[in-house]
Each structure stands twice: as C-alpha cells, then as structure tokens.
Amino acid sequence: MRPCDLKSLEFHKVLEALARWAASEPGRAACLALQPATDPEEVRERLTRQADLVRLVNERGALPLRPFSDISRLLTLARHEGAMLSGPQLLEILNVIRLARLLRAYLRPHADRFASLAGLARSLRPLPELESALAQALDQDGRLKDQASPALAEIRRTIKELRQEVEERLKRLLHSPAHADVIADDYVTIRNNRFVIPVKPHFAQSLPGIVQDRSASGETYFIEPLFAVEINNRQMIAIKEEEAEERRLLVAFTTWVGRSAAEIEEAYAALVRADVLAAAAAFAVKLRCTKPDLSDGDIELKQARHPLLELTGRTVVAVDIRVGGRGQGLVLSGPNTGGKTVALKTVGLLTLMAQSGLLVPAAEGSRVACCKAVLADLVDEQSIERNLSTFSSHIANLVDIFARLKLPCLVLLDEPGVGTDPEEGALIAVGLLSALTRAGASVVVATHYRAVKLLALDSPNYEIAAVDFDPVSLQPRYRLVYGSIGESLGLAVAARLGLPAEVLATAHQRRSEEGEELRSAVEKMEEARREYEEKAAELERERVRAREAFAEHQALAAELRERKRRYWRTELAAARAFLQDLKAQGRELLSVVRRRPDGAAALSAFVAEKRAQIAAREEEIAPVVEAASEPPVVGDLVEVAGKGIRGELSEVFGERARIVRGGLRFEVKLGDLRRVGVPERGKTTVKVPEHSGTPLEINLTGLRVGDALRRLEDFLDRAQLAGHAEVRVIHGIGTGALKRAVLEYLATSPYCAAHREADQGAGGVTVVELLPQA
C-alpha cells in the first residue's frame, strides 16, 4: 500500500479515532500503526478474531483492561546481569503481569466457542510466584514495604526507634525553661540528614553541639546537641543498611524479572493486541459495524456509511455500492456535492479497514475484496485551481499507479483527466479506464465527462450509477441509482445560485447539438426511471397492505379458534355437571326401584326422559344444515345431521319429527334429518332382538379398572338395547380389586335391576339382571 493512498483516503483519521478508544499508551500507538494486510487468510483471521471479540464483549461486558506502560525497555534492561530496576519500574511490570492474569481468566472459559481468541489467551502466560512476590514487596507507589524481607523490617524498626528517641529528647530540650532564651522556635527539623533544633545566633555558643546549618537571613542557627550526635550517627548507619538491603532486594527482583522476560514480553504483546481489539470493538459498536465477507474480487457494500462522517454525529445517508470482479468497474456520475467523491472514498476506506481487521460500517452480508493495493487519484471537487501543475501531478500519480498494478487491486479515480482541455481530458479518462480493465484492475471512477458515461453504457465491463437528486429543488439525495446517467446540472445549479440570465442564455445557445441530444435522452431516461420507481413504491405499499391484511386475517382466525375452544370448554363443563346430576338422580332412583314393585317402570321412564333431554340439548347446539333434496317420510331410516344418531322416522308434526331407536325416542328438527334407507319389510322399529349378535357376557380379566369399567358400561348399553334379560360379567378372582370395582359400578348402573355371583365353579363371574325396556 502506498502511503499517499492511505493519506488521500484519510485512513490515518480512522486510526486516530480508533486510538481514542484504547486503554493504554502502547495500545494507542498500536492502533495508529495498524496497516492493511494483503494475504487473504490473514485478513480472514483478523476479521474473525475481531468479530468474535465483539460478540464476547456483548455477552460478558468489557475486557478487564486499564492503563499500562510500555515495559519493553525495562525488560531489555532486566536481562543484563546485575541490573537494578527501581520500585516504580517493577510496579509497572507487576501491573502488566496482573492484567495478563485477569485477561486470561476472562478469555479462557470461552476459548472453545471463540477459537480465534484461543491464541491470545495462551499468550497471556501467568507468573503467579513473581506476581505474588512483587505484590507483597511493593506498595502502590512502588516503594518497598517493610515485609519485603525480615532484614529490611528489622532495620526500619531500628531507624524508627532511633528517630523517636532523638525527637523526644530534642523536644524536651526545646521545652526546657533553662534554654528558653536560647531556642529560636519550637520545632525539631532535619539538616544534612541529622535531627537539629533552631537556636538564636547570639546563644549558639551557650548550647554545646554542632552547627549543621543556618537560615538564609542568618537569624537562626540549626544546632545538633552533643547528646544527639551519637543517636544521629547510629541512625545514619541504619539508613545506610536500609539502602543496602533495598538495593539487594531490587537487584534480586530485577534478576527474577530478567529470567522471566520472555514470558512477560509475550504477555505484554498480547495485552497490546487485546487493547487494540477492545478499542476496535468499541469503535464497531459506536458505528454499528459488521463483519464483511471476503470475496474473490467483487465488492458489494450494503448500506455503507463513511466512518468519518458517521463520527461527526451528523445524519449520514447509507449507500449501496457494488463493483464487479477483476477487470470490472463502476462509473459514478451526477452533479457536484451529490456524494460521488464520498461514495468513492467509502469504497476505498472500507476496503482498507477490512484488510486491517476492522469491522466496517455497513449492513450484514457485505463483501469486500482482498487487494494487493488500493490505488487512488483524488481531487478536491470544490477547488477552482485547475492549472498545468495540477494536471502534471495527476499524470505523475497515474503513471505510478500503472507501475504498481499488482492484482487483485482496486483503483479509485476522481475525475481523471481534469486540469487540461475537457475534450482531451475525456479522451485520457476513456483511455485510462480501458487500459485498467484490460490489466484486470477493479475500477471506481467519478466523472462529469460525457465520453466516460457513454463508455460505461457501451462496455460490458462497466456499470453506471448516478447520485440521485431532487429535480425541483436540485438538492442531492446522497444515494446511488444504478443504470442511470447523472446530469452534471452545472447550468441549473448556476441559475439557482443567481448567475445572470444573459450568461445562462449564452451558455444554452452554445451548447452543442450532440450534448443537447444526450441531455434530452438522459432526461427521458430519468423521467422513465422515476416513473418506474413510483410504480415500484406503490407496488411495495400494496404488498405491505396485503401483508397487513393477511396478518389481520390470521389474528381474527386465531381469535375465532380461541372463542370456539372457550365455547366447547364451557359446553364440556356443562355436560360434566349434567352427567354428575344425572348420576346422582340415578342413584336416588335406584334406591326407590329396589323398594317399590313398579320401580323398573319408573327407571325406564327416567332413562327415556333424560335421553330426550340430551337429544334436545344436542339439537340446540347442532349446526344448521341444508334440507335434503328428498325429505324423509315416516318409516324411513334417518340420521340426525352432525350427530351420527340413526333410527326410524316414526312421526312428523309440523317442523319437528320423532325417531325411534330401540326402546328410545328422540324429538328433533325435521330439517336436521337426512334419509339413509328404508327399514326391512315387516319391521316397524329398529329395536335389536336378543339374537342380534350382541354377546351375553364380557371378559374384563387382565384390564385396568378404568378401562374395564368403560368397556362394561358400553357392554351394558348394547345389551339393554338388544333386549337381553341378563348377562354375565367375567372379572376373575385375583386380588379382588377389579371385582369390587365392578360390583360398586353395578350398584349405581341404570341398567342393573339386580346382580348375583355365579356358581362357584364359574371362576369370578357375576350375573347381571337387566331392567326390562318400556
């Protein structure tokens, strides 16, 4: 990558913004030193590592990083034999070792899920013994603590005791009435590392001792009394011993650091990388960046935003930018200030960011190519200084671009050929584009030249796009319209800005015929495009309305289903309540039956009444059905629609009818009946005789109690309809549980007139006498 290209695309400003998120000075320096990689595998690894860290930070929170120093020089010094680092310098190393341990603990539990971060975690080697020793020996300012060694603790205890002793004796001297006229002030101080007291100069000879200093004014002498000389001497010796012990400890710790320098250096380098990754993660979250895919040569940036514009806090209109593979290009046209140069720079800058391992401010699914070089020739579109020196500098840059073409590469050209005769400039631009595509470069060019626009329309290697604008207000909309040629609108903009009418009239008259034809064609194409976009927008609105209507239909259907479920739950609850009431009344009636001779007739009447009630309830909730094309007549076999109840139509009265099934009679709506057949000749009822095939016994052995009672109930129902007088129930002996359940059920059954145990040889059989039908 050429430094001039990085500068013209303002890559350094992105790095400066990134560096502001770093926690440490080494991290900030590393951010500023980032360079795009050109190996596709390395780029993929960088992007994957960065994307994984963003995901991890979103899940667990920020990395445990705080400011740390550059310790490279200290590690180099520590490797020398006999070297001694100061306490504060050792504290800087301790800070790095401690941060490496904390960051390792943060990363390791997730190394399996985020394999790209596993190497970083491995590089953060822990040094627990060295960390513990330094932490125990150094305070927060880097001074050696008393507990750094027993000898140091003892020496400092001695110094403290001597200091207390000399201070106490000197204070007693200061407060002695005998020396009140001698003492200049009431305090003990230190001169030449020895404890002294202030004395008036005229009385200095009256106090035995050594003059260690005097004040600048000469009004005070600082005397070390003779009794303090010996104590101060002992203290000075102890201080020298303290310095020697401190030096010994610092040398020992430095040697330990030197032996571990390789591990510390690796951990430090990993910390710096982590700081850069953390800064890039914060940068990505701020700008809503995503991980782009790496393509074989094509570029597709979805909803891309220029990062530097995004950082200003202004509203940035996202653009979709696509460039074909090698030997393909994109021509951007349209008026000044419409966003051509911003789009051009966005392509280059986001490519550089991705190759540097940074996520890009674009939507998911974007793709970039891994380029050997991103080569740019950009100009300031607002400048009016288009002289020969400018033209010459651009040509020199273009010559260098051709010399450095190394595929795959991306070439960005902002108005190539500018600075000379427009016709010649357009020819140069056409020649450049043709040569670059033949060489296999991917090209993005912003232009006003008509010849370049026509080349893009005619060449299969180029796609054309225009920056959109409002045709009425002439305000840019900052989006790209593909397949459209953008007008430069120089005359229209000049008119809006107030250029005199006569100037504009002359310009319009001198407009070439060819240019007028092209302008007219472009206007028609733009008008057709806008009409198409309006229709597409209306179609999209129709789709939205259809989706909303469908969603509303789905919601209503769901609400209807829920109402239906609630209705059936209510009906089921009512049916259960009715059944419980029916059972209670049946038990009460059974007790009467057993006491009264006419009980059987009463029971049959009760059963008929309740069945009629059930049929009437079913009729109330049954759906309305259309009348049959051939209405049934008395004597037909009929079925109640929706219920599956069949019987013989015995009577019709008005809109209602009565059907007979066995010994039961039902009254229903005539319109709910459909004819299903004619009864056999000579039969006037559907009552099933005893020899109809309904068995006279049922075997319940081996069944669970619940299943057995359900089968028994169904068996008794069919036996009653068949007109059987008695039946046999085989329940076996076993534990007796099934027999007890059967007998309890028979005691409440509406069909059972009486029951008895069969002969002993029958093996667990109960004979049930059924009530006769009415």
Side-chain angles (χ1 to χ4, degrees), residues 698-746:
I698 183 171
N699 189 346
L700 304 178
T701 58
L703 298 177
R704 295 177 180 271
V705 170
D707 293 337
L709 294 182
R710 281 191 292 273
R711 292 194 183 187
L712 177 58
E713 182 178 17
D714 181 62
F715 170 71
L716 294 178
D717 182 47
R718 288 186 285 110
Q720 174 75 13
L721 290 175
H724 294 321
E726 66 178 28
V727 292
R728 291 160 57 87
V729 179
I730 305 172
H731 45 68
I733 300 175
T735 62
L738 181 57
K739 178 180 178 180
R740 286 193 300 273
V742 168
L743 296 180
E744 289 175 2
Y745 174 78
L746 293 175

Side-chain angles (χ1 to χ4, degrees), residues 9-10 14 282-292 299-321 339 341-354 358-366 368 477-480:
L9 291 171
E10 300 180 294
V14 172
F283 183 86
V285 171
K286 173 71 174 177
L287 272 66
R288 309 184 310 283
C289 295
T290 64
K291 175 193 172 187
I299 299 171
E300 183 178 10
L301 296 172
K302 300 178 180 180
Q303 296 296 291
R305 291 159 281 116
H306 194 289
L308 298 181
L309 291 179
E310 190 86 351
L311 287 170
T312 62
R314 293 181 295 174
T315 301
V316 179
V317 179
V319 294
D320 296 323
I321 306 173
T341 301
V342 171
L344 196 73
K345 287 186 174 182
T346 300
V347 178
L349 192 53
L350 267 59
T351 298
L352 294 175
M353 289 175 63
L358 302 176
L359 307 188
V360 299
E364 294 283 353
S366 296
V368 296
R477 292 173 175 161
Y478 301 108
R479 67 185 183 97
L480 297 182

Side-chain angles (χ1 to χ4, degrees), residues 494-530:
R496 184 170 60 85
L497 295 176
L499 196 65
E502 59 270 23
V503 176
L504 296 172
T506 303
H508 280 294
Q509 290 174 0
R510 299 298 297 270
R511 177 182 285 176
S512 68
E513 182 179 345
E514 177 186 355
E516 186 63 29
E517 291 177 354
L518 178 61
R519 185 189 64 79
S520 177
V522 169
E523 285 181 353
K524 291 179 180 178
M525 185 174 68
E526 285 297 295
E527 183 178 351
R529 177 185 65 79
R530 292 191 182 98

